[in-house]
Amino acid sequence: MTNTTTPQKKYELTETRRVTLDYAIMLSAPLIFAIYKNGIQALFLALVSVISCTLVAKLGEKVLNTPFSSRLLTPVVIGLSVALMLPSTAPWWIFVFTSAFAVLVCVLPFGAPEKAPFVPASVAICFAILCWKEEVFNYQSADASITELLSQNISMGDNIASVLEVLVGNIPSAMGTGCAFILFGALVFLAIRRPKDSIPVFAFLLAVIVMAILFPRVGTGRFISLVMELCGGMLLFGAIFFISVPSVMPQRTISRVVWGFTGGVICMIIRYIGAVEESA
């Protein structure tokens, strides 16, 4: 009995390590961009978030006697995911509480991240939006964010310069969600490293593309509306880093396609009729 189960456990542990390391590598790209755009403040806030996750995880291990996968870089991935979806102008204590919530409420009760029925960082951001909506969407910029423009049916412009501004992240946004080029690069990495896990991401994005083309929200053309929908807010970030998490995905390929596509449709519907700036 021991000889047959031990190799399986070792395999699962190795696979979990590989998945976690891949996501850590993917998150490093938007983190570098965040530091480039926002300076040392972005690095400080990311460290605050990661340290908060790690400390709560260690405390939970001792109190609950639960083997939280801190040795697998899991707190790093959760902390970075949380930090990159918040603006650099948000108070540092929001990063602390949001990261702590991700681990304390969304991981520890289930024993491990891979056993949770949802992605901890995504639930934590919902918590932050409900508690500190003004701070989460306060980018301290004279320009409106893409999602705010879309909610008011206002176009970002119809020239190539406007599109490039959005693609390179020269827009008001959270620290790691603004540069579409960086995020598309992460998606390419995911597709190469974990092609099966990228299936629901592409299905999700396909649904967004279809909805954006069929029901544009700006009057400067379907292409501009599509660019704004894809690159606005946390949609692209959430599609890449949340939809692709193996622990929340169906196992069959067709189920992953249906699940990803349905998620994209629901996300867009909430964007059209929702009361908050961000629905992803």
Side-chain angles (χ1 to χ4, degrees):
M1 180 70 69
T2 303
N3 292 334
T4 56
T5 57
T6 301
Q8 179 65 21
K9 289 183 179 179
K10 289 183 177 179
Y11 171 78
E12 291 176 353
L13 188 61
T14 302
E15 182 62 19
T16 303
R17 283 177 175 171
R18 289 174 179 171
V19 172
T20 309
L21 181 59
D22 285 344
Y23 280 93
I25 294 172
M26 290 162 59
L27 287 165
S28 66
L31 174 62
I32 292 172
F33 174 79
I35 296 172
Y36 168 78
K37 183 177 180 181
N38 303 291
I40 197 68
Q41 176 73 1
L43 178 59
F44 167 73
L45 293 173
L47 288 174
V48 166
S49 188
V50 170
I51 292 172
S52 300
C53 281
T54 304
L55 291 178
V56 174
K58 291 295 184 182
L59 181 62
E61 282 184 333
K62 294 185 178 298
V63 174
L64 302 177
N65 195 26
T66 300
F68 184 85
S69 305
S70 56
R71 62 188 179 278
L72 305 178
L73 292 178
T74 303
V76 174
V77 171
I78 295 176
L80 286 180
S81 299
V82 168
L84 292 173
M85 288 187 291
L86 292 170
S88 61
T89 54
W92 63 269
W93 50 266
I94 289 183
F95 288 78
V96 173
F97 282 111
T98 306
S99 300
F101 182 92
V103 176
L104 189 62
V105 177
C106 306
V107 175
L108 292 178
F110 305 97
E114 58 270 18
K115 296 180 180 179
F118 36 68
V119 181
S122 65
V123 181
I125 286 298
C126 292
F127 165 77
I129 291 174
L130 290 173
C131 295
W132 309 292
K133 179 180 176 181
E134 296 299 326
E135 287 81 0
V136 171
F137 297 124
N138 180 19
Y139 306 118
Q140 293 189 1
S141 172
D143 299 323
S145 67
I146 297 296
T147 48
E148 185 178 354
L149 290 175
L150 282 169
S151 66
Q152 301 175 19
N153 303 112
I154 299 174
S155 174
M156 65 181 187
D158 58 356
N159 54 63
I160 190 63
S162 300
V163 174
L164 288 176
E165 288 284 294
V166 173
L167 294 177
V168 301
N170 193 19
I171 54 175
S173 67
M175 293 200 299
T177 64
C179 185
F181 279 140
I182 295 288
L183 295 176
F184 280 124
L187 178 56
V188 171
F189 178 87
L190 176 67
I192 294 174
R193 288 282 296 169
R194 319 193 68 80
K196 291 184 178 180
D197 293 348
S198 67
I199 290 174
V201 181
F202 287 108
F204 181 96
L205 295 178
L206 175 61
V208 172
I209 291 171
V210 171
M211 295 284 287
I213 292 175
L214 291 179
F215 310 104
R217 288 197 280 172
V218 296
T220 51
R222 299 180 189 274
F223 174 73
I224 297 298
S225 180
L226 172 59
V227 171
M228 293 179 69
E229 296 286 6
L230 279 176
C231 301
M234 305 173 191
L235 186 143
L236 191 54
F237 186 94
I240 296 169
F241 293 102
F242 297 158
I243 297 296
S244 63
V245 174
S247 61
V248 299
M249 282 194 295
Q251 294 302 313
R252 297 173 58 193
T253 299
I254 186 62
S255 298
R256 292 186 177 191
V257 172
V258 173
W259 181 68
F261 191 88
T262 304
V265 171
I266 294 174
C267 181
M268 290 298 289
I269 290 175
I270 297 175
R271 271 194 164 188
Y272 290 147
I273 65 176
V276 296
E277 181 177 330
E278 183 54 64
S279 68

